[in-house]
Amino acid sequence: MGIFDPWAGFGVTFNTMFRKTFTQGYPQKGKEKVTQPRFHGRHQLNRWPDGLEKCVGCELCAWACPADAIYVEGADNTDDNRFSPGERFGHVYQINYLRCIFCGLCIEACPTRALTMTNDFKLSDDSRTRLIYEKDDLLAPLLPGMEQPPHPRRLGDDEKAYFLGLPATGTPDTRTGSTAGATK
């Protein structure tokens, strides 16, 4: 150990003491903070291109959450009251941001990619009740061409036609089971 090793740590501290940070003058001055593409921010419940919800109410996200921040209640779809293309949908969906640790395990557990994380990081509030986001707060906005559920499936008559038609620009996998995943 050299005689100057302890002073090297002080050098790093001294160099960073006078550096301007993002929080100085935020949000009045400067540009908006740009996050990295894989940043774990606020959650979002996604929709299919016809406006139906991707969440099928399976509760896997709630089971995967180590902080017990997610609460899901599933319900059955009917022909008159359809919120998702499958048999079930997430009737009640809540995320408690007082508990959430933004680990992303809920995203990994979701089998339909219904739950994703946005780059929105402004979640502070002065009320505890406003930090419990309900389904309406989490649902992605309706884009042009989408219709507010409940409504019948618009992209196919049955579930197979509905899901094979997505995405509209892609082609379904027509390989047989023995050759799927094989490399040349």
Side-chain angles (χ1 to χ4, degrees):
M1 182 160 109
I3 193 166
F4 294 107
D5 286 343
W7 297 105
F10 289 124
V12 171
T13 302
F14 186 74
N15 285 337
T16 58
M17 270 192 331
F18 303 107
R19 187 181 302 160
K20 291 195 178 214
T21 62
F22 160 68
T23 57
Q24 288 177 332
Y26 176 82
Q28 291 79 18
K29 290 188 207 172
K31 296 180 180 178
E32 188 71 23
K33 174 76 173 166
V34 177
T35 57
Q36 295 296 320
R38 293 182 59 184
F39 178 78
H40 287 186
R42 186 184 62 83
H43 296 79
Q44 176 174 293
L45 286 172
N46 297 312
R47 299 176 183 267
W48 292 107
D50 63 351
L52 291 178
E53 302 165 8
K54 285 188 174 184
C55 180
V56 294
C58 67
E59 303 177 22
L60 287 175
C61 55
W63 282 95
C65 182
D68 198 24
I70 301 175
Y71 176 72
V72 181
E73 275 184 25
D76 292 332
N77 276 318
T78 62
D79 291 334
D80 299 331
N81 202 21
R82 179 167 298 282
F83 288 90
S84 71
E87 296 175 4
R88 296 175 50 83
F89 71 100
H91 177 64
V92 176
Y93 202 101
Q94 294 177 344
I95 297 181
N96 186 344
Y97 282 109
L98 297 167
R99 291 183 175 183
C100 181
I101 59 175
F102 299 94
C103 62
L105 291 176
C106 53
I107 307 304
E108 299 295 327
C110 185
T112 61
R113 293 284 296 157
L115 188 64
T116 55
M117 293 179 108
T118 65
N119 285 351
D120 185 12
F121 61 91
K122 296 179 183 180
L123 294 171
S124 64
D125 207 322
D126 59 357
S127 170
R128 295 176 65 87
T129 56
R130 286 195 294 255
L131 288 172
I132 299 174
Y133 280 50
E134 301 287 335
K135 181 178 175 180
D136 294 337
D137 303 323
L138 297 167
L139 270 173
L142 290 169
L143 299 175
M146 292 183 174
E147 182 182 345
Q148 179 69 35
H151 62 78
R153 288 186 282 251
R154 304 279 190 238
L155 303 176
D157 295 332
D158 60 355
E159 290 179 26
K160 184 176 179 182
Y162 188 92
F163 294 119
L164 283 179
L166 297 175
T169 58
T171 58
D173 186 4
T174 57
R175 297 177 293 176
T176 62
S178 61
T179 60
T183 58
K184 293 183 179 181

